[in-house]
Structures are given as structure tokens and as C-alpha cells.
Amino acid sequence: MDIGKKIGLTYGPPTRNAFGNALKEVGAQNQNLVVVDGDVGNSTRTQYFRDEFPDRFFNVGIAESNLIGTASGLWASGKDVLAASFACFLLCNAYDQIRMSIAFPQANIKLMGSHSGISIGEDGPSQMAIEDIALATALPNFTVIVPADAPSTKAATHAMFDREGPVYLRTGRPKVPVLYDENLDFNIGEAIQVRDGSDISIIACGLMVAIALEAAHTLSEEGIDARVIDMHTVKPLDTDAIVKAATDTGAIVTAEEHVLEGGLGAGVAHVVARHKPVPMGFVGIDNTYAESGKPEELLAKYGLMPEDIVQKVRGTLKKK
Amino acid sequence: MIKNNQSDQENIEQLQKITKKLSRQIIEITTRAGSGHPSSSLSAIEIMVALYLGGIMNYRPDEPGWPDRDRFILSKGHAAPGLYAVLAEAGYFDPEMLLTLREIGSPLEGHPNMRVLPGVEASTGSLGQGLSIGLGHALAARVDGRDFQVYVMIGDGETNQGQVWEAAMTAAKYRVSNLTAILDYNKFQQTGSVNHVMPTLEPLVEKWMAFGWHTTEINGHVFDDIFSAIRNAQATDNRPHIIIAHTLKGHGLSPFEKDDVNRKHGKPLTEEEKAQALEELEAYSYDQKITSFEQRPNPNIEPPERRQ
Ligand SMILES: Cc1ncc(C[n+]2csc(CCOP(=O)(O)OP(=O)(O)O)c2C)c(N)n1
Ligand SMILES: [Mg+2]
């Protein structure tokens, strides 16, 4: 991908790799941590943990409902648990198990779904999670984190294990631009303003933060001064940051690699409508499944490129 | 229904030739695409060739929705390159299109999509779901009084999924004799061998029998075996049938064999490996019977004593 290169961003490892490395660190610190895999550890990078701590690693086979149930039993008997798979199979194949065996009993289980969004590319729509944020945020008691780059994924991985209760961490397949340095200040539920601006706020998560930064750069050339906010925690949302953005800039555009229903945009709109109504625009996947293709081609075809955010900003500003 | 000439030596030699051609295509188009699952496609290729091109299945490429057609469902959808090569050869689309595998705008997606490619009977790629879909087709035939066969190809790793066994139990309940499952027993799944990931898949034949299925165990690379298994399947009344096909993930070609973790699962060959594989494929003779039949994972557990 070339996204962000023209504004000087350099590429780092995929967020799933950053997760895998951080998981290994957590495993070294916490002997009580066990990891459960659904035969995709080489893809989700839980393999890094397995190679280091094979006795605390269980591969339950290609069986996501079994994965969640086993995780729940391990938790109920006192273990700290991480369960991982592709985001689509984890959330979609095992949703009732997640509901009954994790969300309902408020189990202290951490879930990691990799290969989120359409930027996985060629494997195609059956492997792309584009509904997972809606599913995860709908669950009472859940925390949902969608980090933007490798350093913030590392920080998010450590932070989620310090948090009591169920957490869903969403990572991606491709290499992505680096936005933060290694010792960033990362707190669950506290958005990070990555660019200040006064005309409009772009609130994004995951890969879309880098894309929003490139859009903001283009907009600045047109004299539009956009604030960019990394809303890495999609649940609970940082209400203060959203209200402040609405108050300071008077318009908001959201951007996510997810369907428009039930994701970041819907959540932000909920806060905006309740606390500080301002014109809003929404960038996301519009009521369709994608297809196979190269990541950047797909982002373009399904309306997730910097130009798409730029256009949405222009349209939203007209309503101000 | 099986046509009577299909086990002619001449016919089989023709099918072997076609298999080699399609195997070459599988290797070439995945390397060209830079991603995909050639080894998973190659283990299943003779079976798909026999079904579509060996006179077993009834279908009309110019009328993909013909209600009386036999159905084939590739439940292990990642073997799509194999299915696409076979569908092209069967006349569903121009083989030139194979070169667009995994490209944007192409109906030849990474996993089969029934909405964009005529001939694809089910959208698959999330493992575990195909056998239930096949059961639905088989029951529809009963309700509508139609006489078609349903074939579902599942992976050995795929049978980790509970849904496979849910479908197995239900198919036996309804005694659907027009449903045939084919298990591609290539002994490998994603992160390792079946022996490593789920050794308790064995005893496999006994499991399916216990679920009420007729079983036939074959070498899935030998056409004679495939045809006689299909004949067996069609001769069984009142029960679903499963063909447990011992195969080699990557068809025994050395670039795949070298990877003893997962036979290069989900990885195309490099240009260099491709040249090697194509050379071996060219030289491959069907007279040298593939000897995978005896390789069984070791469950390391004693079956429980039966109570009298
Ligand atoms: C529900 C689900 N979980 C995980 C995956 C990821 N995955 C793709 S192929 C594969 C291994 C399949 O093994 P097997 O069924 O033995 O097929 P083979 O490639 O050996 O033919 C896995 C785990 C998936 N496609 N679907
Ligand atoms: Mg297999």
C-alpha cells in the first residue's frame, strides 16, 4: 500500500504482528495467562506465544464455538485467557457462545480478531470482517478496541490485560503506516488527537486514521483545517473528545473499515445527537460485501480512500 | 447417474490427461495471483475431475440453474482454484478467465461466490457449513420429487467443526440417500498435520458409521477407486454415503512435500518452485500408485472398552 507515504508516513509491521509480540511479553510477565487458538495461530500470530509457552497454549481445531466455550471454562477455573481467530470467524461463527459464555457472565476473557476489514485483499469477502464492530459493541459489558498502528496495538494489548472484563481487540493483515512512537500514552477509552484543526473533525479508527491524516493534508491545501482523532476505543467511546470536537469544529466526519451500520460512525452519531448536535458525514462500507483484489484497489472501490474522506468533508461542511 | 463407459481404460487415460492440465493451471494461476491455496486444490483434483468430467454428474453449463442438475458443493472453499479449473473445463466459462483469479472485478474470487460465478452452488470459505447446505439440497429433491445427486467435498481439518457432525446426524435421520460427502483426507490442516492438530479425528470411518453413514475408503488420486466409490454411494438406499479419500496435500509434488508443517497451506509456489513442480507433474505417471492410503494419524488414545 502507498497510503500515507505522500505525507511522510513510513510503514511498520501489521497490527496482528504487534499484537503477537505483545502477547508474548504479557505471557512472560503473567504465568497465569493461557491462549486458545482455532488452528489459525500462524495467521493471528498467537504462534509467537505458542513457541515460547507451549504448555499454556491450546489449539482446539477449526471450531470457533468450541474455542469460546473452552476459553470460558479456563476463565471460570481461574485462568487469564486470550482467544483468537480471524475476526469474521470469531465474531460470526461463535456469537452465541461469546454472548452466553463471555458477555453475559462478564468473563474476564480477551478476544483478538485478526484479518479485519477489506484490506486483507485477495482472500475475498468470506474472510473479511466488516460486521464485527457492530456485533462486539452490541454486547453488554464488552470493551472494543481498534488500534491504528503497531505501537498502539502493542500498547492496547498490554492495556487490555490490565482491564477487568471482556475485551475485543481488532487487528489487520497488511503492513500499515506508523503513527506513534513506542512509548505513546495509551489509555482505553481516551481518544488520541493526532492532528489539531478548527474547521471539522475526522474521527477514525484502525487503518482509517492514517487515511484520515492524508485526507487532512489534502484538505489543508484547500484551506480546510481538519482535526483528526484516533478513536481507538469504539466502546466505551470517549464522549468528552467527541463533544469537544463538535463544540470546537462544528462538524464531524467518521471513517471506519466496517459497514456503516452499528460501527464507529453510528456510535459517534449517538453521542453527537445526545450531547451536541452538529452536521455529520460517514465514511464506511455502504451496505455491501466487497470482493477479492489488492487492498488499495478495494479501499478505492469501496470508498475508503483519502479522496473519499475529502469529499465527505466538503459535503458535510456545506451543512454547517 | 453413472454412465456405463466411464471406467473404460480409454476414458480414464483421458481424465488423467485432463487432471494434469488442470493441475498445471492451479499451480500457474495461484503463483500468478501471488496468493491462494494450490496444495489444497491439488489433493482434491482427481475427485472433482471425475465428478464433472468423468460422466458422473449431470449438469448444463448453459443452464446453470437447471433444477434437475446434480449439485457439487465445495465446502472447503479455499480449494477454489481447483473448482474454477474444473468448471472452466466443463464449459461454464472461458478458461482464459482463470488468469483473472483473485483480481478485482473478477468473478473468480479467493473463495467461491455463488452470486458472481455461475456453476458455484454455494458461497463457501468459512469452514464447516457445506454439508448442511448439501443436506438442504438433498431434502429439496425429496420434497419436489426430483432425482438429483448432491456431492459435498469437505476437508479433514474442516471436520473439526461441530456443524459437520450436526449435519451428519441429521442426514442420517432423514435417510437422504442422494447425499454423498467426500472427505479429502490429505492429513494436513492450517497450522500443522491432522496428527498434530486433531489426532482424535481417528478412528474416522468408525465415527461416520456410528453417525449412520455408509462409508467407502479410497485412494483419492486413483480414478478406478473414485468411480467404484461413487457406484457404491449410488447403490446405497436409505442412507447418506461418505467417501473417505486418502490424498496428498500438494499431490506429492516436492515443493509442497518439503514443508512438513502444513504442505505450504495457503501459499502459492515461487517461480522457481513452480518450475520444479510442473516438471514433476509432467513426469508423473498414474501407474505409480500413490501410497498415501496407509498414512493415518495416530490418535494416541485407546478406544474405550465396549460394555456388553
Ligand atoms: C470457520 C473457519 N475457520 C478458520 C478458517 C481458516 N482456514 C482456512 S483453510 C484452513 C485449514 C483447512 O484444513 P482442511 O479442512 O484440512 O483443508 P485442506 O486445506 O487440508 O484441504 C483454515 C483453518 C476458515 N476458512 N474458516
Ligand atoms: Mg486437510
Side-chain angles (χ1 to χ4, degrees):
Chain A
M1 292 198 296
D2 288 321
I3 289 159
K5 282 187 184 161
K6 86 173 193 207
I7 56 167
L9 295 176
T10 54
Y11 275 65
T15 51
R16 59 179 168 140
N17 290 27
F19 156 79
N21 283 314
L23 180 66
K24 203 172 64 179
E25 291 167 6
V26 176
Q29 291 156 6
N30 179 2
Q31 301 298 316
N32 197 42
L33 178 66
V34 295
V35 171
V36 200
D37 169 35
D39 198 31
V40 288
N42 53 346
S43 299
T44 60
R45 310 305 196 206
T46 56
Q47 183 176 287
Y48 304 168
F49 180 99
R50 181 201 66 185
D51 291 346
E52 204 87 359
F53 311 108
D55 295 344
R56 289 190 272 139
F57 182 90
F58 303 97
N59 180 355
V60 302
I62 310 166
E64 290 75 17
S65 44
N66 189 30
L67 173 78
I68 297 300
T70 306
S72 186
L74 284 160
W75 159 73
S77 260
K79 306 312 290 176
D80 296 322
V81 189
L82 177 116
S85 184
F86 280 40
C88 56
F89 307 134
L90 187 72
L91 265 299
C92 301
N93 203 332
Y95 196 63
D96 190 28
Q97 284 74 15
I98 293 174
R99 174 177 177 266
M100 279 309 294
S101 303
I102 298 182
F104 185 33
Q106 303 185 39
N108 185 30
I109 293 172
K110 314 306 172 194
L111 300 179
M112 197 290 293
S114 65
H115 294 66
S116 64
I118 62 175
S119 58
I120 70 161
E122 289 83 353
D123 271 346
S126 69
Q127 321 288 302
M128 294 168 172
I130 58 171
E131 319 91 333
D132 57 318
I133 297 177
L135 290 168
T137 54
L139 294 164
N141 309 317
F142 252 74
T143 297
V144 178
I145 310 175
V146 186
D149 72 346
S152 60
T153 302
K154 175 183 171 177
T157 304
H158 283 279
M160 77 173 174
F161 283 105
D162 293 336
R163 188 179 177 88
E164 189 61 30
V167 178
Y168 170 52
L169 178 73
R170 181 196 218 220
T171 68
R173 177 178 180 274
K175 292 182 177 151
V176 287
V178 176
L179 308 179
Y180 302 107
D181 55 42
E182 285 292 324
N183 40 26
L184 78 157
D185 190 17
F186 184 97
N187 296 299
I188 292 172
E190 278 178 33
I192 304 173
Q193 183 176 302
V194 288
R195 188 184 199 281
D196 199 8
S198 53
D199 295 330
I200 192 162
S201 299
I202 307 169
I203 301 180
C205 61
L207 173 62
M208 298 308 290
V209 180
I211 295 176
L213 276 172
E214 189 175 316
H217 177 80
T218 308
L219 288 164
S220 73
E221 289 168 347
E222 297 177 14
I224 297 170
D225 188 21
R227 178 179 295 183
V228 178
I229 293 171
D230 175 0
M231 190 63 71
H232 51 74
T233 306
V234 181
K235 184 182 180 176
L237 282 168
D238 185 343
T239 307
D240 292 345
I242 296 168
V243 173
K244 187 164 185 304
T247 309
D248 293 352
T249 67
I252 291 174
V253 164
T254 59
E256 62 200 303
E257 211 187 337
H258 185 269
V259 290
L260 287 169
E261 289 81 4
L264 173 69
V268 171
H270 192 193
V271 173
V272 168
R274 250 212 304 225
H275 298 285
K276 181 73 191 164
V278 293
M280 282 192 72
F282 304 91
V283 172
I285 299 161
D286 193 2
N287 197 30
T288 184
Y289 285 98
E291 63 194 282
S292 292
K294 295 196 176 68
E296 209 149 297
E297 291 173 343
L298 294 173
L299 292 169
K301 182 160 177 179
Y302 293 90
L304 300 179
M305 286 295 265
E307 304 84 84
D308 299 297
I309 297 182
V310 167
Q311 270 191 16
K312 192 64 71 180
V313 164
R314 288 193 199 117
T316 307
L317 282 175
K318 284 196 194 113
K319 294 186 227 153
K320 221 170 138 175
Chain B
M1 269 292 139
I2 286 205
K3 292 168 198 148
N4 29 13
N5 69 341
Q6 71 210 348
S7 36
D8 292 356
Q9 196 47 37
E10 208 180 313
N11 185 33
I12 283 185
E13 274 167 24
Q14 186 59 25
L15 294 177
Q16 290 170 343
K17 223 182 265 172
I18 293 172
T19 304
K20 278 197 184 189
K21 179 173 98 178
L22 304 193
S23 300
R24 205 179 311 128
Q25 289 174 340
I26 289 167
I27 291 167
E28 272 166 356
I29 63 177
T30 48
T31 295
R32 188 175 189 280
S35 61
H37 299 75
S39 59
S40 308
S41 300
L42 290 168
S43 59
I45 190 67
E46 278 91 356
I47 294 162
M48 291 194 283
V49 165
L51 288 170
Y52 276 96
L53 306 165
I56 295 172
M57 280 174 58
N58 279 316
Y59 58 92
R60 297 176 178 166
D62 51 356
E63 194 191 346
W66 177 40
D68 289 314
R69 72 194 183 282
D70 292 336
R71 277 87 162 146
F72 174 76
I73 291 167
L74 183 65
S75 189
K76 43 166 268 185
H78 56 284
L83 176 65
Y84 297 157
V86 171
L87 289 179
E89 186 71 19
Y92 279 94
F93 56 86
D94 183 349
E96 277 289 299
M97 238 168 72
L98 290 171
L99 297 173
T100 67
L101 178 72
R102 293 179 160 241
E103 283 178 6
I104 194 162
S106 168
L108 274 56
E109 294 190 351
H111 294 75
N113 181 342
M114 68 188 290
R115 281 280 160 217
V116 297
L117 189 64
V120 170
E121 295 284 1
S123 296
T124 52
S126 178
L127 292 165
Q129 306 190 16
L131 194 56
S132 300
I133 298 171
L135 170 61
H137 281 284
L139 291 172
R142 177 177 300 175
V143 173
D144 290 347
R146 292 186 194 278
D147 181 27
F148 60 77
Q149 297 289 322
V150 185
Y151 302 94
V152 182
M153 164 85 69
I154 58 180
D156 45 10
E158 182 178 9
T159 66
N160 299 168
Q161 286 282 14
Q163 188 182 349
V164 173
W165 302 100
E166 295 167 21
M169 192 155 37
T170 316
K173 169 189 172 186
Y174 286 108
R175 298 185 164 272
V176 283
S177 55
N178 56 339
L179 178 64
T180 301
I182 301 149
L183 194 147
D184 182 3
Y185 200 1
N186 61 23
K187 320 293 187 297
F188 285 87
Q189 33 192 105
Q190 177 167 323
T191 66
S193 65
V194 170
N195 198 16
H196 181 79
V197 179
M198 202 54 70
T200 41
L201 197 62
E202 287 285 356
L204 190 57
V205 173
E206 291 80 351
K207 276 197 185 68
W208 286 91
M209 282 169 60
F211 272 79
W213 286 56
H214 273 290
T215 63
T216 310
E217 207 173 356
I218 64 163
N219 182 329
H221 296 301
V222 174
F223 281 103
D224 272 330
D225 276 28
I226 299 168
F227 284 122
S228 61
I230 296 285
R231 241 178 261 118
N232 261 349
Q234 296 189 351
T236 51
D237 285 340
N238 282 330
R239 274 178 197 223
H241 194 106
I242 183 161
I243 299 170
I244 296 183
H246 292 266
T247 59
L248 296 175
K249 189 159 177 170
H251 214 286
L253 301 170
S254 70
F256 298 107
E257 290 285 314
K258 268 183 216 140
D259 176 359
D260 58 12
V261 174
N262 64 10
R263 297 284 186 265
K264 282 177 102 53
H265 177 86
K267 289 203 187 71
L269 298 181
T270 62
E271 287 295 337
E272 206 173 305
E273 291 167 335
K274 181 179 98 173
Q276 172 71 25
L278 293 184
E279 197 176 302
E280 291 175 24
L281 189 64
E282 200 52 46
Y284 177 74
S285 158
Y286 273 92
D287 299 334
Q288 55 183 64
K289 252 199 170 194
I290 290 183
T291 52
S292 68
F293 196 83
E294 296 307 321
Q295 302 171 10
R296 269 177 190 284
N298 171 11
N300 282 328
I301 50 160
E302 290 295 315
E305 288 283 309
R306 231 174 234 282
R307 244 180 267 173
Q308 295 305 322

